[in-house]
Amino acid sequence: MGDGGNVTRLLRRIREGDRNAVEDVFPLVYDELKRIARHHLGRERSGHTLNTTGLVHEAYIRLMDRESIAWQDRAHFRAVASRAMRRILIDYARRRGAAKRGGGMNRLTLEENHIEIDDQAELLLSLDQALERLAHRSQRLSTVVEYRFFGGLMEEEIAEVLQISPRTVRRDWVKARAWLFKEMYADG
C-alpha cells in the first residue's frame, strides 16, 4: 500500500477535515484496494459488469464521502474498505435479482478466496443475512469473518484493528465459521 506512515498521516489529515489529503491518499492506497477487490472478484467470468477497477472506485468514493469515519491507520483503512466492498457486492447481488432460495445453489465455504457474484448471488445474500444475525450475537465474530473473508485481511491485521491477539482472531474465525455453517445449512 505504499508507505504505511504516509497513509496514516494522510488519513489523520482527512479525519481532521483536510479535503486535499483525500486526493493525496488515493495513489498510496490504490494498489491495496485493487488487491482487496481482486480477492472479491478473482473467479468472475471475463466481461463481468462489476470489474476490479469499478469496485475500487466505488469503494473509494464511498469511503471518502463519509466524514464520520475516524481514520486511525492503514489497517483500519483496509478494514473499513473491506466493509465498503462487502456492502457494494451485496447491493450488486440484490440488484442482480437473486433467484429463489435453494434451487441449484452451490455451497460456498469460508475457505474459498473468491466470490462468484453473478453465479452465487443468492448464496452471497444468504451469507450476508447470516452475518447480520451473527452480529446480533457477537459483533466481534461477525467482524472477523467480514475482514478475513470479504477483505482478505490476515489474522495479525485483524488483531491490530480489533485490538485483540492473533490467537483470539483464530478462535473467533473457527467459532464464526461453525456458527455460519450451521445457520446457513441447517436444513441440509
Side-chain angles (χ1 to χ4, degrees):
M1 180 185 288
D3 180 17
N6 286 339
V7 171
T8 298
R9 191 171 24 2
L10 288 169
L11 290 172
R12 287 188 182 133
R13 284 179 41 204
I14 292 169
R15 182 178 65 207
E16 295 165 0
D18 182 351
R19 297 310 292 171
N20 292 327
V22 171
E23 294 175 20
D24 295 340
V25 78
F26 189 64
L28 297 176
V29 299
Y30 187 75
D31 287 340
E32 184 65 18
L33 291 174
K34 290 276 281 196
R35 189 193 66 72
I36 294 169
R38 276 192 302 275
H39 177 82
H40 288 296
L41 299 172
R43 287 189 180 172
E44 285 301 313
R45 60 180 163 69
S46 60
H48 186 278
T49 58
L50 182 62
N51 64 26
T52 303
T53 302
L55 182 56
V56 166
H57 287 263
E58 178 66 25
Y60 189 77
I61 288 168
R62 287 187 186 191
L63 292 171
M64 293 302 123
D65 280 347
R66 294 189 56 203
E67 295 179 14
S68 62
I69 298 175
W71 298 110
Q72 297 167 14
D73 55 24
R74 173 182 170 258
H76 181 243
F77 180 85
R78 289 187 63 205
V80 175
S82 171
R83 182 168 283 156
M85 287 186 192
R86 173 183 168 216
R87 296 288 8 131
I88 292 165
L89 293 171
I90 297 303
D91 292 346
Y92 182 82
R94 284 189 179 116
R95 283 192 306 270
R96 296 294 294 171
K100 286 192 246 177
R101 294 194 66 118
M105 180 170 56
N106 296 323
R107 284 193 177 207
L108 173 70
T109 68
L110 293 181
E111 299 301 325
E112 293 183 52
N113 291 326
H114 309 289
I115 302 167
E116 297 177 28
I117 298 171
D118 283 345
D119 297 335
Q120 299 189 39
E122 182 179 348
L123 191 55
L124 183 60
L125 292 173
S126 177
L127 175 59
D128 181 59
Q129 292 165 355
L131 274 173
E132 294 295 328
R133 290 189 298 274
L134 178 59
H136 289 293
R137 295 177 57 98
S138 171
Q139 182 61 48
R140 191 176 77 199
L141 292 181
S142 176
T143 301
V144 166
V145 171
E146 185 173 49
Y147 290 171
R148 184 160 176 185
F149 183 69
F150 286 95
L153 274 69
M154 305 307 292
E155 290 173 355
E156 293 77 18
E157 294 168 317
I158 297 168
E160 181 182 338
V161 171
L162 297 180
Q163 298 179 346
I164 58 178
S165 72
R167 185 175 177 181
T168 299
V169 171
R170 278 189 293 280
R171 283 193 310 261
D172 286 354
W173 174 243
V174 170
K175 282 189 255 182
R177 282 180 36 216
W179 189 91
L180 288 168
F181 183 83
K182 181 181 171 194
E183 186 75 9
M184 293 175 66
Y185 300 114
D187 60 354

